[in-house]
Amino acid sequence: MGNHAAMTRRLSAFVLVLVVLVGALGYRLVDFQVVRADEIQEKSLERRSQTQILRALRGDILDANGEVLARTVFRYDVNAAPKNVGPVYRLEDGVRTEYSVEAIAMELAPLLGLTVEDLLAKLAGNSEYSSLARRVDSATYDQIKSLGVPWIYFDQLSDRLYPNGAVAGNLIGFVSSDGTPLAGLERQYNTCLAGVDGQETYERSAEGVRIPTSNITTQPTQDGGNLNLTIDSNLQFFAQQVLADTVDELNAQWASAIVVEVETGKILAAAEAPSVDPNNPAASDADNRGSKIIQFAFEPGSIMKAISTSMVLDTGTADEYDTVTAPDRLPLDYGEFIKDSFGHDDFELSLAGVLRYSSNTGIYGFGIQIDKETRYNYLQKYGFGSTTALNFEGESSGILHPVEDWTYSDNYTHLFGQGIAVTSLQMAYAYQAIANGGVRLDPMLVESCTSPDGELLYVPQQNATRVVSEATADLNLLLMEKVVEFGGVGKTAAVPGYRVAGKTGTAEIREGVGYGDRYAISFYGVAPVENPKFVVGVTIYKPEGVTNSAKATPPFKAIMSQALKHYRVPPSTTVSPDYIPSNRYGEPGA
Amino acid sequence: MRVMMLSAQDARKLRPSMLAGAILIIGIIVVYLVQLALNMILTQDAYYLRELKIERKALSTEVAIIQEEVDSLASPQNLADAANRLGMVANPSSVLLDIEKDRIFGTPEPVSAENAVVASANLVANSALGATTEFTASSIAATGFEVSVTTSQAGSSEVALVNGRIPASPTR
């Protein structure tokens, strides 16, 4: 009996211990499985899961023909872990061969652009990180990777490549090494070009292999859109070639050329020399990294006379037959005077004659008859004194003082393009208005922004402004044609087979309180006159030893010829009307 | 707990069925085997997927290398230099044919390097220029091809004699 009681006590104690143990385990079970289940599961997932940023690609910049001017490429930083550096074993014909660190360094050094000594210095030590080369291209990455060196690893980075280099570089702009857009269209249209990075989480096994069906995309990647320009890269390259040659020949500070399609207002080329290679903007002076065509204002000089003659015609102040007496030097009040660029007897000049001889006194004779408020309004309608719809960063509005602030000399110097500052862009579109029947269109540099799958995301709006009547514009173009038909310098702008209208300009450049001894020479013209297709405006800034615009016509002629040829414009079948007086006696003909 | 006395026959009846037990155990084994097989397939696929991704990356790298090479070769800078090495210059005098109106515009004229308006060699910077066209006049000559440009005075040809009109094609 005693034994039975003792056994029962032991059994009871055992059962009690068992119950306590099971209870404790049960408590932990409920705690893990129910109370803290979510928290524990989350911790577990955290350990297994890996979050990865999915980099969005920046969109391309394309020219009018779809040629890529800027694209995103991958570059690679090459790194090593010196503490792991050691001999490399390779299987060669089934034989395991050992390569010493020095032997590997000799293979690697030329690929990394280092000397063997420098590379070995970088590989020495016991650290876990040593940067061997930054931003190597895909070909180099592939070559290094194929060496199969286990202690070399790579960081992939996206980078910007401009396959055509400095072609349209002044417009396209560039990005910093971390991909931040710094200038030009890259910066202005960043909203279109930049993508939105995505994020993905997945679980991985102890071996680092992704567990199937475990990935969750928390934010999808959205690649950037493509920016489609109106620029024709072939014409742009041609113009840049011509200008580079011109700047070199004339030792000029810079030169620019703009080609505008008359009917659409599209900029087909906006070339400059010197230009900037967006692949390496640091190689260019800071002054040459922007677009002078858009951002630089200068006193235009005589190219303004074609604008002034249109005002004279449009206001009915004079017609193509009226003449004024134009001396080579005209005294004015306050001891001021106007003089022509060459000495001559008194000419009897029509409006076409004024343009042909580029007479300052002649344009004064006609233009001063129009009140200055009216002229100011015309200048505004032509687009002077305000920025254009391009909204290009740093765009200059030029200088056109309010009419109430015009000085005594402003009143007449504006007629021949002094005392007023304009950009090449503004002047080209003033000529575009004359070529387009008196209607000025907003400049277009960007055709559209499209998503990677071709969906239209943005199309810039274009406004049209009636500046002068159609009859005035057409007649003014005929007057300008006389410059190329008979003008001393203008004749050199003629393009065989085509009727060309235009105007020369040799503008003085202000230096301090007066004018310096170098000029801004230019030629702005239109062709073909009977059905205008293109405006080409060439400006050469501060050429050495040049005192007239004769050096501006060869680049104009080359670029206009190329544009006409490139776009298959048939030669003119009509000729300049012979009834328009343009000679020094106010008569038609030579 | 009750303890009852049973006959041997009844006891055999109450004994669990061997068949049912066998089916249960086999069933469990089959389920585990299927699960194992599925796991193996999934794991295998995970490795296969990884291999494919590595392959895709290698192919993407190859595409990038070729693309950059093509970009460089197609750049106007390379083409201008290649044309210049072959002695080519731009000819500004072009001739246009108007098919609709059967008209010829312009007169073809040969151009020489001396009176060419534009320097044909590249003057526009491009630091991305990698691969370049390697042929030159001498390298082409080495291949046995004739390197020469013959200019014909088309102005005196039959085409210009027909009052500037394109001769009608016999095929239309």
Side-chain angles (χ1 to χ4, degrees):
Chain A
M1 211 40 209
N3 278 348
H4 186 258
M7 207 171 114
T8 307
R9 271 200 309 275
R10 281 201 297 273
L11 194 65
S12 300
F14 174 72
V15 169
L16 189 67
V17 169
L18 205 65
V19 166
V20 170
L21 275 175
V22 170
L25 285 172
Y27 169 76
R28 292 295 285 169
L29 190 67
V30 171
D31 186 38
F32 284 158
Q33 293 288 336
V34 180
V35 181
R36 293 167 54 200
D38 291 345
E39 182 195 336
I40 291 167
Q41 212 159 7
E42 203 174 311
K43 274 188 182 170
S44 157
L45 190 66
E46 257 177 44
R47 278 188 197 169
R48 293 196 315 271
S49 67
Q50 181 80 19
T51 301
Q52 190 181 13
I53 300 287
L54 304 171
R55 296 280 174 211
L57 294 178
R58 191 173 175 81
D60 293 346
I61 299 179
L62 305 141
D63 85 339
N65 306 311
E67 191 167 328
V68 177
L69 298 174
R71 77 160 84 243
T72 297
V73 291
F74 291 113
R75 294 286 180 256
Y76 302 85
D77 281 355
V78 188
N79 309 305
K83 67 181 288 189
N84 299 329
V85 170
V88 173
Y89 298 93
R90 289 179 187 150
L91 268 180
E92 289 172 355
D93 301 328
V95 182
R96 193 165 176 265
T97 315
E98 181 185 316
Y99 284 83
S100 67
V101 174
E102 287 73 19
I104 293 296
M106 285 174 75
E107 291 180 3
L108 273 174
L111 297 173
L112 296 168
L114 296 169
T115 62
V116 176
E117 291 73 27
D118 287 346
L119 177 57
L120 286 172
K122 282 173 181 275
L123 296 175
N126 202 31
S127 71
E128 292 191 349
Y129 175 81
S130 173
S131 171
L132 305 183
R134 300 182 69 81
R135 294 183 176 271
V136 302
D137 61 17
S138 300
T140 311
Y141 159 77
D142 198 46
Q143 284 173 290
I144 297 172
K145 203 160 176 280
S146 66
L147 295 178
V149 182
W151 33 265
I152 294 271
Y153 58 97
F154 304 90
D155 288 330
Q156 191 187 49
L157 314 152
S158 59
D159 199 3
R160 212 66 172 139
L161 176 77
Y162 303 89
N164 288 1
V167 176
N170 301 78
L171 301 169
I172 293 170
F174 43 86
V175 301
S176 68
S177 56
D178 66 357
T180 310
L182 295 179
L185 297 172
E186 285 274 28
R187 186 172 154 91
Q188 187 185 349
Y189 285 93
N190 191 44
T191 320
C192 163
L193 292 164
V196 181
D197 287 347
Q199 194 172 305
E200 179 190 57
T201 305
Y202 60 89
E203 292 171 45
R204 58 179 181 172
S205 70
E207 294 159 303
V209 176
R210 181 183 290 221
I211 297 172
T213 71
S214 67
N215 56 317
I216 309 158
T217 306
T218 46
Q219 191 182 323
T221 307
Q222 213 179 313
D223 286 341
N226 293 333
L227 193 66
N228 307 295
L229 307 186
T230 59
I231 294 291
D232 182 317
S233 59
N234 287 324
L235 190 60
Q236 174 82 21
F237 174 73
F238 181 88
Q240 285 187 221
Q241 286 274 89
V242 172
L243 295 180
D245 213 16
T246 303
V247 166
D248 188 44
E249 181 198 334
L250 304 179
N251 197 22
Q253 204 173 85
W254 54 265
S256 71
I258 179 168
V259 183
V260 177
E261 192 173 51
V262 170
E263 289 164 354
T264 62
K266 289 178 183 174
I267 299 173
L268 302 179
E272 295 179 25
S275 52
V276 59
D277 178 0
N279 294 301
N280 184 18
S284 302
D285 288 342
D287 287 349
N288 297 327
R289 290 181 202 156
S291 170
K292 292 196 173 65
I293 288 177
I294 304 173
Q295 297 167 324
F296 186 87
F298 62 101
E299 288 183 88
S302 296
I303 45 176
M304 185 60 94
K305 285 179 186 146
I307 307 299
S308 301
T309 54
S310 76
M311 297 180 202
V312 174
L313 290 173
D314 205 52
T315 52
T317 306
D319 61 21
E320 68 270 36
Y321 301 106
D322 291 328
T323 60
V324 293
T325 303
D328 60 353
R329 191 173 186 280
L330 182 68
L332 299 172
D333 295 340
Y334 307 111
E336 296 185 11
F337 62 90
I338 302 172
K339 66 181 179 71
D340 282 349
S341 60
F342 61 100
H344 59 81
D345 297 334
D346 285 0
F347 286 174
E348 198 62 28
L349 295 180
S350 65
L351 283 170
V354 165
L355 295 178
R356 172 176 163 179
Y357 294 102
S358 197
S359 170
N360 295 332
T361 57
I363 196 64
Y364 172 84
F366 282 112
I368 206 70
Q369 298 175 47
I370 310 168
D371 67 83
K372 60 182 183 182
E373 285 79 12
T374 305
R375 281 188 276 133
Y376 176 70
N377 289 336
Y378 273 115
L379 289 171
Q380 278 192 312
K381 280 199 283 182
Y382 268 118
F384 300 119
S386 55
T387 55
T388 68
L390 281 187
N391 290 321
F392 197 87
E393 275 200 340
E395 180 176 355
S396 170
S397 60
I399 301 168
L400 173 61
H401 296 301
V403 67
E404 53 273 17
D405 295 342
W406 282 16
T407 62
Y408 173 75
S409 58
D410 282 345
N411 189 30
Y412 61 85
T413 56
H414 282 19
L415 288 165
F416 44 82
Q418 299 286 165
I420 179 176
V422 307
T423 62
S424 300
L425 181 74
Q426 287 173 336
M427 189 52 84
Y429 278 80
Y431 274 60
Q432 181 272 336
I434 294 169
N436 192 38
V439 176
R440 181 171 61 85
L441 298 173
D442 280 342
M444 271 184 77
L445 187 55
V446 169
E447 186 102 50
S448 64
C449 170
T450 50
S451 69
D453 54 9
E455 189 193 343
L456 209 56
L457 301 175
Y458 166 76
V459 177
Q461 272 202 328
Q462 190 184 42
N463 295 314
T465 308
R466 163 71 61 191
V467 183
V468 292
S469 71
E470 191 173 353
T472 295
D474 293 350
L475 179 56
N476 201 62
L477 210 56
L478 296 180
L479 306 185
M480 290 159 64
E481 193 178 5
K482 296 299 172 192
V483 174
V484 181
E485 193 178 0
F486 296 118
V489 171
K491 267 198 281 197
T492 57
V495 177
Y498 296 89
R499 289 176 60 190
V500 179
K503 184 68 191 82
T504 53
T506 310
E508 292 179 285
I509 298 171
R510 199 172 283 275
E511 272 182 17
V513 290
Y515 286 98
D517 58 357
R518 288 212 187 183
Y519 298 85
I521 62 169
S522 38
F523 192 89
Y524 281 63
V526 178
V529 171
E530 74 279 12
N531 181 20
K533 292 289 180 197
F534 308 112
V535 169
V536 172
V538 171
T539 301
I540 304 167
Y541 200 72
K542 292 190 175 180
E544 199 172 66
V546 175
T547 54
N548 65 34
S549 53
K551 293 290 183 183
T553 49
F556 166 85
K557 180 179 170 178
I559 295 167
M560 181 61 95
S561 303
Q562 180 69 12
L564 292 165
K565 183 170 73 171
H566 187 63
Y567 286 94
R568 309 278 194 272
V569 177
S572 301
T573 50
T574 56
V575 292
S576 173
D578 57 7
Y579 58 84
I580 295 176
S582 71
N583 70 12
R584 67 182 67 182
Y585 311 110
E587 295 163 352
Chain B
M1 185 183 282
R2 278 196 308 160
V3 179
M4 287 187 297
M5 294 294 288
L6 292 172
S7 65
Q9 195 179 359
D10 287 345
R12 268 199 302 275
K13 278 184 188 171
L14 285 174
R15 197 183 291 165
S17 160
M18 281 293 286
L19 182 65
I23 290 173
L24 181 68
I25 289 166
I26 290 169
I28 291 168
I29 290 170
V30 166
V31 167
Y32 272 103
L33 282 177
V34 168
Q35 196 182 358
L36 184 68
L38 281 173
N39 271 342
M40 282 170 68
I41 292 168
L42 276 175
T43 310
Q44 197 58 40
D45 280 353
Y47 281 96
Y48 183 55
L49 192 66
R50 191 166 178 242
E51 270 174 32
L52 287 178
K53 283 189 174 171
I54 291 169
E55 195 180 332
R56 186 180 67 178
K57 199 178 173 199
L59 288 172
S60 301
T61 306
E62 201 178 322
V63 168
I65 293 168
I66 295 169
Q67 181 66 61
E68 284 188 40
E69 203 174 317
V70 170
D71 280 343
S72 185
L73 290 171
S75 69
Q77 287 89 348
N78 175 56
L79 296 176
D81 275 339
N84 186 250
R85 280 199 301 274
L86 289 175
M88 298 167 81
V89 290
N91 188 343
S93 65
S94 56
V95 176
L96 297 177
L97 307 177
D98 185 339
I99 303 296
E100 284 176 10
K101 294 178 184 166
D102 282 358
R103 293 289 307 272
I104 299 170
F105 296 100
T107 313
E109 283 173 22
V111 69
S112 63
E114 287 72 37
N115 56 29
V117 182
V118 188
S120 293
N122 172 46
L123 300 169
V124 180
N126 187 356
S127 62
L129 208 60
T132 51
T133 309
E134 286 172 4
F135 60 74
T136 59
S138 53
S139 70
I140 290 182
T143 64
F145 287 101
E146 188 187 345
V147 186
S148 67
V149 179
T150 49
T151 51
S152 60
Q153 298 296 328
S156 61
S157 72
E158 186 190 352
V159 173
L161 290 175
V162 194
N163 298 326
R165 296 182 73 84
I166 304 169
S169 165
T171 58
R172 47 169 210 166

